[in-house]
Amino acid sequence: MTERKTGIYLCGGCGIGEAIDVAALEGVAKKEFKLDSKTHACLCGDDGVAMIRADLEAGINQVAIAACSSRVMTDRFGFEPIQVLRADLREKVIWSHPANHEDTQALAEDSVRMVLTMATKVKAPEPYVEGEWSSRILVMGGGVTGLAAAAQAAALGHEVLLLERSDRLGGRALDSSKRLPHRPPYAQPAANDIGDLVASVTGNAKITARLGCTVTQTSGMPGRFVVNLSDGSVETVGAIVVATGWRPYDASKLGHLGYGASPDVVTGVELEGMLKAGKVTRKSNGAPVKSVAFVQCAGSRDPDHLPYCSSICCATSLKQALELIEAEPATNAYVVYEEMRTPGVMEELYRTAQAAGVIFMKGKVKTVGADLTVTVADELIGEDIPLAGLDMVVLATGMVPNSTNTDAPSPAEGAEQLAGDIDPEVPFPVAGYCGDAPAAHAKRPQAAPEGGSLLNLQYRQGPHLPVLHDGFADSHYICFPYETRRTGIYTAGPVRRPMDWAEAAEDASGAVLKAVQAVRSASAGAALHPRVGDLSFPKINLNQCTKCKRCTVECPFGAIDEDEQTYPIVNATRCRRCGTCMGACPVRTISFDNYSVDMLSSMIKAVKVPDEFSGKPRILIMACENDAIPALDMAGIKRNQWSAHVRILPVRCLGSVSLLCISDALSVGYDGVMMMGCKPGDDYQCHFVKGSAMAAERLSKVGETLKSMMLEPERVTQAEASIADADRLPKVIDAFVEQITAIGFNPFKGF
Amino acid sequence: MNAPSPTPTKKYDLSFARWVYDNIDGGDRMALCMQCGTCSGSCPIGTQMDHGPRKLFMMIRAGMKEAVLTSNTLWNCVSCYNCVVRCPRKVPVAYILHDLATVAVREGYAEARNSDNARFAKAFWWSAAKYGRTDERLVTGKYYFSFGIGEGYKRGMANLPIAMGMIKTKRMHLGMPHKCSNTGELHKILAKAAEIEARDHGKQG
Ligand code: SF4
Ligand code: SF4
Ligand code: SF4
Ligand code: SF4
């Protein structure tokens, strides 16, 4: 390896030069690190950047910059492929602390010490690019979502393999009458145009569709998944879009709503079929349907059935009532609802239905008699109202995701993997709240959904695509849609959350863009969400590995398998570079080219910890780069102030923090340690899904160790941070500093 | 007139709502009522009503015909139009109440309820239609005696001092009732209006 030559640049602009003594920082580099540095009055200006470029020409091969936050000016300070290390003197130093104060100066000097220490511990990452890569995309499911996904992927130039388990393309849309409105003015049911979508796919040379075909086994990793199909063939694909859709909730479980008591109590799906056939009659006697009641939330939003809102049944009932009235204007149509939920612009359809004379009643259905009398506990009148003399009762049953293969038996092993393994085992309190803290996170019990695995993944962590408590394939609803916990495999449509036709088609585009990114990044050795473009990947020194399996178990993405001798093997393109494996490894033998336990520990130790006679505590905050660091930057931008006694060390994810970092900090005299990261649990905000939960779990075991060292367990805590916490986090920090000050100095100080 | 409202053979008549939507002045807009309660909240007389417009409309949907047509909401509305102005769904609440009151009279619900307001409204209309003016003595007299001779006399005597005071300050006159200049024309106009009404809407009692 060539000798490391780091160019060090300090910026005096943006008020840094006025608020701290930058020359003293140069002194730190010179005296403590024997390194020359250059200060510029405006480093990000053309002149400053030209200065760095000139040094790069002259042979420096690493750049360390102490200026603004690493999250800004990345274009100005981007010198690919040279690695750039940043220390923040602006947002988290001068903007958040008083100018020309000795504590602020000490903070700035420590920031320089940390980045210069980092510079000695990292090297530019060498990406994993071995072997052949496929850019073909596998789409599972030939319904609206799958068809739209196939068409989109083909439009982006990718070969597509489209699998459909039944013998026809089009899915449930084929059995529907009209579809929900999907373009302005959104006021009327729209024509069913599934035929056009099917035709656009079957006529596309880039798409190979196989009917009656399912996946029997999947191995490999993004860029080269090897997929065995039920027709006996074996295919290699780069990424997978799971668009397996939904099925209606089993109405036979809805006896309390009259299902089964009379043939004239039907489900919304059954009525849809009658509308499609153009003949809606009473099943019992073939008589016309002159009055009908729709029972909303039939099984949905009911803790005994589906705990969630299925999102489409309200609009669907509106559409069906309108279709009935269109066919026979005198039809008396009642819709009994608890809340009318018309997401998006579907409100317009609601208005149309009202204007057409559909009668709405708000309340809960108490009983549905065999004579079709629907008794409603009406909330707006405050009485039980019997709707009698109806010809038909329609139960608006909800959506169940096809996150498993219901045709196949549950796997003998690994099914438990499906059941919310996202919760930390032990409930733990949420630290870092000023005022009322939310309830402690507790594990929510959940049964594994029925059925076999869709993909039958040959992963160490089991065959399934992980699901959340409600059985939907795990993909964060808001922050990270489509992402599953298996890199390169994306979910789209109702398999990830309830949605209608138009939304599903849009969802397909999102998932396809992810899949395209996955195949392109795989061949470049670059990471995907959330560390997009990161070229580092975990390397395991097997000589030291004790085969403890922590890494293979804790990796949130199932990236690490085991070889015949049960040694861990990293599947590089499955990895999202969170470092949870690194934080888990008890012998610290997992590291990245530019990120390691040694690097973190050295940076922690590089800080000058004042002795107890100074009266100044020193507190370490290991803050997640995804939300906590941006929130702290934002706090700085808002000029929110916090204690200058803390030292902030950005980490990839709390999951990457080894307990060793904490014990190192305490042994060199830090008085307290705070881990600041995203919300763990089944409603996680952790960008690596389980990283902060893993950190919490590890932390729950630290208390005993601290006690055995005669240290107060309160010296170490975990705080939740979200991207919007710019005003809260400074208070959280100050409260912790106060708490630590009250406990007193770390007795290990100075040893 | 003529399409009579469905007979309340039961307390909940599921065809009533559609009948109101189709036959009552403003009923088509009532179909759009989203039960926000702005009308009832805005009504200065709300506390004097047994239900208030919002709830009354929901009762219509539930088919509670009898309860609706005997409700005092229909009669206590003072036509201030607060609700009409404020309704976010542009439901002409007051019109609907008035038209429902008409139905209540026509189908005997008002009588059955023995509503004061209904009697007064009848006396008022009698005078207006006959003379083109409302004559205080005749309207009050007709209203009082609608309760029967004895009751009418009692009420008349009880209010005599007020009447005397009004006469003294020229607020009420003695002698022949005031009329508009051409009552014959008026009667023709009203007859024509009734005819048009019957032809165009098939309602109005
Ligand atoms: S969409 Fe409507 S019917 Fe369906 S679960 Fe949600 S609220 Fe209930
Ligand atoms: S734990 Fe994170 S860094 Fe380690 S292998 Fe898994 S995804 Fe990669
Ligand atoms: S204000 Fe209008 S929409 Fe609201 S409850 Fe009254 S009538 Fe209905
Ligand atoms: S018009 Fe009648 S119902 Fe409406 S606010 Fe006035 S009094 Fe109340």
Side-chain angles (χ1 to χ4, degrees):
Chain A
M1 199 202 132
T2 49
E3 198 201 333
R4 184 187 350 251
K5 284 193 232 105
T6 307
I8 304 166
Y9 305 93
L10 307 171
C11 181
C14 287
I16 298 171
E18 289 84 64
I20 52 174
D21 178 358
V22 180
L25 302 184
E26 286 206 32
V28 167
K30 186 75 197 166
K31 275 187 241 127
E32 299 174 24
F33 293 83
K34 313 279 174 272
L35 291 169
D36 289 323
S37 54
K38 293 182 180 173
T39 302
H40 195 281
C42 176
L43 195 59
C44 63
D46 289 346
D47 197 39
V49 171
M51 174 177 85
I52 301 175
R53 286 204 182 277
D55 290 354
L56 288 168
E57 301 268 304
I60 60 160
N61 53 16
Q62 182 162 284
V63 172
I65 291 174
C68 38
S69 163
S70 62
R71 298 175 42 82
V72 296
M73 294 298 166
T74 48
D75 50 341
R76 302 296 290 166
F77 300 146
F79 307 107
E80 302 261 310
I82 298 294
Q83 178 154 269
V84 179
L85 312 174
R86 305 273 300 265
D88 174 10
L89 298 180
R90 194 179 71 172
E91 283 83 347
K92 292 187 279 304
V93 179
I94 64 150
W95 282 354
S96 41
H97 300 89
N100 302 311
H101 189 285
E102 57 173 59
D103 290 345
T104 311
Q105 182 68 24
L107 171 59
E109 288 175 12
D110 278 341
S111 303
V112 169
R113 286 185 188 106
M114 285 167 107
V115 76
L116 294 183
T117 304
M118 181 186 200
T120 65
K121 295 290 177 184
V122 297
K123 60 177 186 180
E126 291 158 11
Y128 177 92
V129 284
E130 292 152 36
E132 297 290 309
W133 304 99
S134 165
S135 67
R136 190 149 67 133
I137 292 170
L138 171 69
V139 175
M140 294 171 67
V144 166
T145 321
L147 292 168
Q152 298 276 358
L156 289 167
H158 290 261
E159 294 287 328
V160 178
L161 178 59
L162 174 64
L163 303 185
E164 165 55 41
R165 131 174 112 159
S166 78
D167 57 0
R168 49 181 208 168
L169 287 179
R172 294 192 176 276
L174 293 173
D175 305 323
S176 330
S177 171
K178 294 188 177 178
R179 59 179 285 196
L180 294 177
H182 56 100
R183 56 168 72 106
Y186 297 98
Q188 293 292 343
N192 184 335
D193 52 2
I194 187 68
D196 300 348
L197 188 55
V198 173
S200 77
V201 164
T202 48
N204 192 319
K206 282 199 165 304
I207 304 172
T208 312
R210 295 215 199 141
L211 299 179
C213 191
T214 52
V215 173
T216 55
Q217 180 180 310
T218 308
S219 57
M221 57 177 165
R224 47 169 176 265
F225 285 113
V226 179
V227 185
N228 298 30
L229 303 178
S230 58
D231 61 9
S233 61
V234 180
E235 302 283 346
T236 303
V237 296
I240 301 173
V241 173
V242 177
T244 43
W246 64 286
R247 56 184 186 276
Y249 185 65
D250 181 1
S252 66
K253 295 179 185 160
L254 300 176
H256 64 294
L257 295 176
Y259 197 80
S262 157
D264 293 322
V265 179
V266 300
T267 66
V269 173
E270 288 164 15
L271 174 61
E272 195 66 41
M274 295 185 215
L275 287 164
K276 164 90 181 171
K279 194 161 175 282
V280 182
T281 50
R282 296 183 65 163
K283 271 203 209 163
S284 57
N285 56 13
V289 174
K290 291 196 206 116
S291 67
V292 54
F294 291 85
V295 177
Q296 296 310 108
C297 298
S300 294
R301 303 172 66 212
D302 179 340
D304 296 334
H305 299 278
L306 304 177
Y308 50 85
C309 166
S310 296
S311 124
I312 62 145
C313 13
C314 280
T316 302
S317 291
L318 297 175
K319 178 196 78 100
Q320 292 176 339
L322 280 168
E323 285 192 60
L324 289 174
I325 288 177
E326 190 189 15
E328 175 45 60
T331 309
N332 212 14
Y334 275 80
V335 175
V336 185
Y337 67 96
E338 282 171 66
E339 277 87 28
M340 180 55 55
R341 294 193 172 176
T342 49
V345 233
M346 226 53 88
E347 175 79 7
E348 296 299 332
L349 189 67
Y350 177 35
R351 262 179 227 257
T352 306
Q354 284 180 315
V358 178
I359 300 161
F360 293 88
M361 293 190 80
K362 180 176 166 70
K364 225 179 158 54
V365 170
K366 291 182 112 175
T367 54
V368 178
D371 66 345
L372 299 188
T373 298
V374 177
T375 305
V376 184
D378 189 302
E379 278 183 32
L380 297 167
I381 301 176
E383 284 179 29
D384 286 357
I385 308 287
L387 302 177
L390 296 164
D391 299 321
M392 182 184 268
V393 175
V394 183
L395 304 183
T397 47
M399 278 186 158
V400 179
N402 288 332
S403 51
T404 55
N405 178 357
T406 43
D407 292 345
S410 301
E413 263 175 66
E416 73 286 353
Q417 192 75 42
L418 260 182
D421 71 334
I422 200 154
D423 289 329
E425 283 298 329
V426 267
F428 61 95
V430 185
Y433 274 83
C434 308
D436 293 342
H441 293 285
K443 195 172 176 74
R444 268 215 270 167
Q446 183 208 8
E450 293 141 30
S453 167
L454 283 178
L455 287 154
N456 195 11
L457 294 166
Q458 302 300 297
Y459 282 24
R460 157 70 174 85
Q461 290 186 3
H464 280 296
L465 211 49
V467 297
L468 284 178
H469 290 90
D470 298 337
F472 287 91
D474 182 9
S475 74
H476 197 285
Y477 295 142
I478 297 166
C479 303
F480 334 121
Y482 326 117
E483 300 284 353
T484 69
R485 271 188 265 158
R486 297 294 176 253
T487 312
I489 302 173
Y490 301 97
T491 47
V495 70
R496 70 172 195 91
R497 69 162 173 82
M499 64 177 80
D500 81 335
W501 182 328
E503 278 181 294
E506 202 176 289
D507 225 44
S509 314
V512 160
L513 287 171
K514 286 277 177 188
V516 166
Q517 188 190 30
V519 299
R520 293 186 186 170
S521 301
S523 57
L528 292 160
H529 163 88
R531 295 187 61 82
V532 181
D534 185 353
L535 298 178
S536 70
F537 65 97
K539 294 180 174 167
I540 307 183
N541 181 352
L542 294 181
N543 293 330
Q544 287 170 17
C545 169
T546 60
K547 304 202 248 188
C548 74
K549 299 189 166 74
R550 289 302 337 143
C551 57
T552 58
V553 170
E554 288 195 19
C555 171
F557 307 103
I560 309 181
D561 288 337
E562 282 158 23
D563 68 9
E564 307 80 53
Q565 295 162 18
T566 70
Y567 276 116
I569 1 171
V570 176
N571 293 276
T573 57
R574 283 190 213 162
C575 167
R576 308 250 186 115
R577 284 75 167 172
C578 61
T580 299
C581 50
M582 173 181 127
C585 180
V587 292
R588 304 179 298 282
T589 188
I590 305 181
S591 55
F592 299 77
D593 285 341
N594 56 3
Y595 190 67
S596 61
V597 178
D598 179 34
M599 177 199 103
L600 293 175
S601 276
S602 303
M603 290 171 77
I604 291 169
K605 292 180 196 157
V607 165
K608 284 249 175 312
V609 177
D611 58 28
E612 64 263 53
F613 307 111
S614 68
K616 292 178 188 187
R618 192 55 81 233
I619 286 157
L620 176 66
I621 298 183
M622 285 181 271
C624 157
E625 283 174 359
N626 297 296
D627 272 5
I629 290 289
L632 287 167
D633 281 355
M634 190 58 68
I637 291 167
K638 296 177 80 176
R639 304 300 195 274
N640 289 339
Q641 308 286 298
W642 65 83
S643 166
H645 300 314
V646 303
R647 296 294 176 263
I648 294 169
L649 175 62
V651 295
R652 289 186 173 190
C653 172
L654 293 191
S656 72
V657 175
S658 165
L659 290 183
L660 183 84
C661 297
I662 298 175
S663 55
D664 277 357
L666 293 171
S667 67
V668 299
Y670 282 88
D671 303 291
V673 177
M674 171 179 269
M675 310 257 276
M676 185 182 274
C678 309
K679 179 183 197 155
D682 73 310
D683 52 351
Y684 64 88
Q685 285 173 5
C686 176
H687 294 50
F688 295 104
V689 185
K690 288 203 301 187
S692 57
M694 287 302 156
E697 193 134 339
R698 290 178 207 149
L699 220 52
S700 71
K701 298 179 179 115
V702 151
E704 286 310 308
T705 320
L706 292 179
K707 275 189 208 149
S708 71
M709 291 167 75
M710 310 294 277
L711 284 171
E712 300 75 5
E714 297 77 32
R715 288 190 188 272
V716 180
T717 189
Q718 179 166 343
E720 260 180 40
S722 90
I723 193 90
D725 276 342
D727 293 329
R728 193 178 66 88
L729 292 183
K731 294 185 198 139
V732 169
I733 293 173
D734 287 350
F736 187 58
V737 172
E738 219 168 90
Q739 183 189 330
I740 294 298
T741 314
I743 297 174
F745 286 109
N746 175 354
F748 287 97
K749 222 182 259 289
F751 277 95
Chain B
M1 137 58 316
N2 322 338
S5 69
T7 329
T9 49
K10 49 188 178 276
K11 199 177 167 207
Y12 304 96
D13 179 345
L14 297 200
S15 56
F16 186 52
R18 284 299 288 266
W19 183 87
V20 171
Y21 288 1
D22 294 341
N23 291 283
I24 289 293
D25 197 9
D28 52 341
R29 293 277 338 159
M30 196 201 110
L32 285 152
C33 166
M34 59 186 187
Q35 291 288 301
C36 68
T38 300
C39 50
S40 301
S42 306
C43 180
I45 310 298
T47 51
Q48 306 301 313
M49 288 173 170
D50 47 10
H51 300 303
R54 178 204 63 78
K55 189 171 172 197
L56 196 80
F57 292 174
M58 199 58 224
M59 290 161 64
I60 291 172
R61 291 178 176 171
M64 299 164 73
K65 179 179 176 185
E66 188 172 343
V68 168
L69 292 177
T70 54
S71 163
N72 72 7
T73 307
L74 311 182
W75 299 105
N76 287 2
C77 167
V78 296
S79 304
C80 72
Y81 287 86
N82 265 347
C83 53
V84 181
V85 171
R86 290 186 181 167
C87 171
R89 282 291 172 91
K90 298 195 164 59
V91 177
V93 180
Y95 297 172
I96 295 171
L97 298 184
H98 298 159
D99 212 13
L100 285 171
T102 316
V103 176
V105 171
R106 187 179 74 207
E107 300 195 2
Y109 289 95
E111 208 68 47
R113 191 189 160 95
N114 209 9
S115 159
D116 284 12
N117 299 41
R119 290 165 194 278
F120 183 81
K122 267 189 175 167
F124 182 96
W125 182 243
W126 168 82
S127 167
K130 193 166 165 87
Y131 304 114
R133 293 272 175 93
T134 52
D135 184 288
E136 294 82 354
R137 295 161 305 158
L138 297 180
V139 173
T140 2
K142 198 155 176 71
Y143 168 61
Y144 288 164
F145 285 100
S146 73
F147 294 96
I149 302 279
E151 177 69 16
Y153 179 77
K154 223 167 87 193
R155 290 192 181 213
M157 291 319 284
N159 284 292
L160 196 59
I162 297 176
M164 298 310 288
M166 287 175 79
I167 290 165
K168 214 160 112 195
T169 52
K170 298 212 166 62
R171 291 271 160 218
M172 207 157 92
H173 73 288
L174 297 168
M176 292 302 284
H178 288 171
K179 284 184 188 179
C180 65
S181 49
N182 194 341
T183 47
E185 276 305 301
L186 173 74
H187 295 151
K188 274 195 214 153
I189 291 168
L190 289 176
K192 188 73 188 169
E195 191 189 318
I196 293 170
E197 188 76 50
R199 188 191 67 209
D200 288 359
H201 302 294
K203 54 186 182 207
Q204 190 61 246

